Amino acid sequence: PEAADLRALARHLYEAYLKYFPLTKAKARAILSGKTGDSAPFVIHDMKSLMEGEQFINCRQMPIQEHQQQTSALTAAHGVELRFFHSCQSRSAEAVREVTEFAKSIPGFVDLDLNDQVTLLKYGVIEVLIIMMAPLMNKDGTLISYGQIFMTREFLKSLRKPFCQMMEPKFEFSVKFNTLELDDSDMALFLAVIILSGDRPGLLNVKPIEQLQETVLHSLELQLKLNHPDSLQLFAKLLQKMTDLRQIVTDHVHLIQLLKKTEVDMCLHPLLQEIMKDLY
Amino acid sequence: KEKHKILHQLLQNSTSPVDL
């Protein structure tokens, strides 16, 4: 019966994952390997294709008029990077909302102290977003804009400093992470484990969080044994990734803080500002 | 609470998403 409960938890989290995250790993890998028939993504590989591809970016989040106003406000010198960065922020804010809904679906999460729920999200959400980027990436580039666009790694590296430094660490991490070959049902459990980290600074009541995490960890361990019977030590390897992840988030937040100081025209999305303030 | 106003809203608002 205990194993049955752990399997039910895995199924529940997988269903929530499918419900709240629009681009699954299965779909992303199909797009990346050209198995989606005639709907190949638009490729951004230089400034010209970026301009052409911009109509795809943000089309879901922003009313056209507002987008045009913001676009025209940012057409000064160096505007391209800032404009693209702005689009990334809108998508990230939307993704934070998706992760929040997923977190709320973890059994027991909404019964935690509300301040602790906030702390878990504040510290966990960027880690979750970086893990969720991995399925969208390969060594040559990344899918963006819900899989409608493929942006090359070389193009991202060609942007001016410090924008060119933002994605390279995520590519390095993702290429290694993808060798673990997790599927969407494994990912759902791993994301829940990350969210339920009992060592986040400022938590008021650690014990119930650790208890919830322990159950999800057991479910993840069983899931990996059943789903990847030939992959030795996969559970241990996956848990080790959590250490690398914290370093990537720390570096990412420092880079954003640097941008805030150096880029006169940069405005940070209020939700992202809230998350990053006093984070690391 | 004020420091994390939007996160609070996202957590408590179960149906309509906060205007992002």
Side-chain angles (χ1 to χ4, degrees), chain A residues 3-32:
Chain A
D5 290 345
L6 296 175
R7 297 307 290 148
L9 176 61
R11 271 196 306 277
H12 169 82
L13 289 175
Y14 180 42
E15 277 165 23
Y17 173 101
L18 294 177
K19 184 174 172 190
Y20 296 117
F21 300 132
L23 185 55
T24 60
K25 175 165 182 176
K27 198 175 160 201
R29 291 338 264 186
I31 298 172
L32 287 171

Side-chain angles (χ1 to χ4, degrees), chain A residues 219-270:
Chain A
S219 181
L220 176 62
E221 190 174 17
L222 179 61
Q223 161 81 11
L224 296 178
K225 270 185 193 153
L226 296 170
N227 204 21
H228 305 265
D230 302 322
S231 185
L232 293 171
Q233 301 299 326
L234 180 57
F235 182 59
K237 284 179 193 166
L238 191 52
L239 297 188
Q240 279 169 15
K241 294 289 174 199
M242 291 170 79
T243 320
D244 305 343
L245 202 52
R246 290 206 179 180
Q247 189 56 51
I248 291 179
V249 171
T250 310
D251 295 346
H252 181 79
V253 172
H254 289 161
L255 210 53
I256 302 279
Q257 283 159 352
L258 175 78
L259 272 173
K260 250 179 90 178
K261 274 190 209 146
T262 56
E263 298 291 328
V264 189
D265 296 327
M266 201 191 86
C267 45
L268 199 55
H269 190 289

Side-chain angles (χ1 to χ4, degrees), chain A residues 97 104 114 122 269 274, chain B residues 3-4 6-7 10 20:
Chain A
R97 193 185 64 76
K104 281 153 70 175
L114 184 59
K122 180 181 173 81
H269 190 289
E274 221 181 83
Chain B
K3 255 174 83 181
H4 298 107
I6 310 175
L7 277 178
L10 285 175
L20 292 172

Side-chain angles (χ1 to χ4, degrees), chain A residues 45 49 59-60 71-72 128 162-163 167 183 186-187 195-196 209:
Chain A
H45 60 96
S49 49
C59 59
R60 273 180 59 158
T71 306
S72 58
V128 167
F163 295 96
M167 290 309 284
D183 69 16
D186 310 325
M187 291 280 279
I195 293 167
L196 296 169
I209 298 166

Side-chain angles (χ1 to χ4, degrees), chain A residues 19-69:
Chain A
K19 184 174 172 190
Y20 296 117
F21 300 132
L23 185 55
T24 60
K25 175 165 182 176
K27 198 175 160 201
R29 291 338 264 186
I31 298 172
L32 287 171
S33 57
K35 286 177 189 154
T36 47
D38 49 5
S39 58
F42 182 86
V43 178
I44 292 179
H45 60 96
D46 58 10
M47 286 298 174
K48 187 170 170 280
S49 49
L50 175 67
M51 305 289 185
E52 289 163 3
E54 273 188 328
Q55 54 178 309
F56 288 100
I57 304 173
N58 256 347
C59 59
R60 273 180 59 158
Q61 292 95 355
M62 235 183 250
I64 285 166
Q65 206 186 352
E66 191 188 339
H67 187 198
Q68 280 171 346
Q69 278 168 3

Side-chain angles (χ1 to χ4, degrees), chain A residues 93-94 96-97 100-101 104 109 114-115 117-118 121-122 269-271 274-275 278, chain B:
Chain A
E94 174 66 18
V96 170
R97 193 185 64 76
T100 307
E101 290 306 315
K104 281 153 70 175
F109 184 86
L114 184 59
N115 293 300
Q117 293 179 41
V118 169
L121 276 176
K122 180 181 173 81
H269 190 289
L271 176 56
E274 221 181 83
I275 290 168
D278 307 319
Chain B
K1 240 184 176 176
E2 272 305 299
K3 255 174 83 181
H4 298 107
K5 204 172 124 202
I6 310 175
L7 277 178
H8 268 101
Q9 280 176 316
L10 285 175
L11 280 163
Q12 291 185 299
N13 202 338
S14 56
T15 46
S16 61
V18 175
D19 183 22
L20 292 172

Side-chain angles (χ1 to χ4, degrees), chain A residues 167-179:
Chain A
M167 290 309 284
E168 201 48 29
K170 283 80 171 175
F171 277 110
E172 284 166 18
F173 174 80
S174 292
V175 168
K176 283 186 267 174
F177 186 79
N178 287 341
T179 63

